[in-house]
Amino acid sequence: AHWMISDELDCPFCRVVATEDDKEYVKRIEKRAATNDAEAIQFLAGLYTDGKKGLKQDHVKAMQLYMKAGKLGSALAYRNVGAAFHDGRGVKKNAAKEKYYHELAAIGGYMNSRHVLGEMEWNTRNFQRACKHYAIGAEAGHSGCLSDLQDGVKVGAFDRNEYARVLQSYKKSVEESRSDQRENSPLKQLMSMLG
């Protein structure tokens, strides 16, 4: 749904020019959400979380949408559920549920949640388990995981030789994700404009 933010980009689904009109914007997202598009549902939930595009802030509604999107395959939605349990947005704070939903997000490939899981383990002094999370994230190209894995090496919770192997995997992952087409894509340009 990020494609509907700029007039310069067309929606890849409906091929119409993006709109600046909030009601039309939400209508288009709701239309995609009605088809059980997990990312559209997740994006709509974000609008309710933030109270944007003319929608009233509603954390309970956002949680319902995030849960639906997660069940439909959005790892980012599960990350947002975990964050809501951390912050107490629409639900009571619950560290066990926070961890559970970050685990689902990490299993779904969302490496920021993998990093959060590593931090949770590190903060409970379970350094080896933290390093396992960091290694998985680093191998997928997550720079924060790589950085924190270095701390694991420093305290002796992670083997230096294994770190060298993970570093090579990290470099390969980062290199594989680079391409001229991706670096110059309209979506990349849009994301850089958004900050």
Side-chain angles (χ1 to χ4, degrees):
H2 300 310
W3 56 86
M4 292 188 262
I5 296 172
S6 170
D7 282 334
E8 299 171 11
L9 300 175
D10 291 341
C11 171
F13 295 108
C14 58
R15 306 285 185 222
V16 297
V17 175
T19 181
E20 295 290 326
D21 178 76
D22 287 351
K23 287 183 182 180
E24 178 63 23
Y25 182 90
V26 171
K27 180 180 164 186
R28 290 179 186 183
I29 294 170
E30 287 174 335
K31 184 177 179 182
R32 290 298 314 157
T35 67
N36 283 334
D37 179 322
E39 294 310 318
I41 295 167
Q42 188 283 138
F43 191 80
L44 183 60
L47 295 178
Y48 278 105
T49 296
D50 299 333
K52 289 188 175 178
K53 295 294 181 183
L55 295 176
K56 182 181 174 192
Q57 189 175 49
D58 185 340
H59 293 300
V60 174
K61 174 79 171 173
M63 278 295 287
Q64 293 168 346
L65 291 168
Y66 284 136
M67 291 297 290
K68 181 177 181 179
K71 289 176 184 174
L72 290 170
S74 173
L76 177 56
Y78 277 143
R79 174 267 175 215
N80 288 325
V81 172
F85 277 112
H86 175 80
D87 299 335
R89 282 182 283 113
V91 291
K92 289 184 178 181
K93 288 184 178 187
N94 185 317
K97 288 184 178 182
E98 173 193 3
K99 184 176 181 181
Y100 173 75
Y101 285 104
H102 277 295
E103 287 171 344
L104 290 178
I107 290 166
Y110 194 72
M111 289 303 115
N112 286 341
S113 282
R114 182 67 66 188
H115 189 238
V116 168
L117 291 169
E119 289 174 334
M120 292 171 120
E121 295 295 347
W122 190 271
N123 291 338
T124 59
R125 306 192 58 74
N126 194 347
F127 301 130
Q128 290 179 329
R129 188 166 173 93
C131 288
K132 286 181 183 180
H133 285 295
Y134 293 148
I136 293 168
E139 287 181 308
H142 191 280
S143 60
C145 285
L146 182 68
S147 177
D148 288 344
L149 191 58
Q150 292 171 345
D151 294 336
V153 172
K154 290 176 189 173
V155 300
F158 200 75
D159 179 72
R160 288 184 186 281
N161 293 328
E162 185 64 12
Y163 175 80
R165 186 195 64 74
V166 170
L167 180 60
Q168 291 304 312
S169 295
Y170 168 82
K171 289 177 180 177
K172 182 178 179 184
S173 179
V174 169
E175 187 58 37
E176 286 174 353
S177 69
R178 288 195 177 129
S179 73
D180 289 337
Q181 183 179 8
R182 179 174 294 165
E183 294 301 315
N184 297 317
S185 74
L187 181 58
K188 178 79 171 186
Q189 292 169 9
L190 174 62
M191 296 309 286
S192 69
M193 288 187 312
L194 295 174

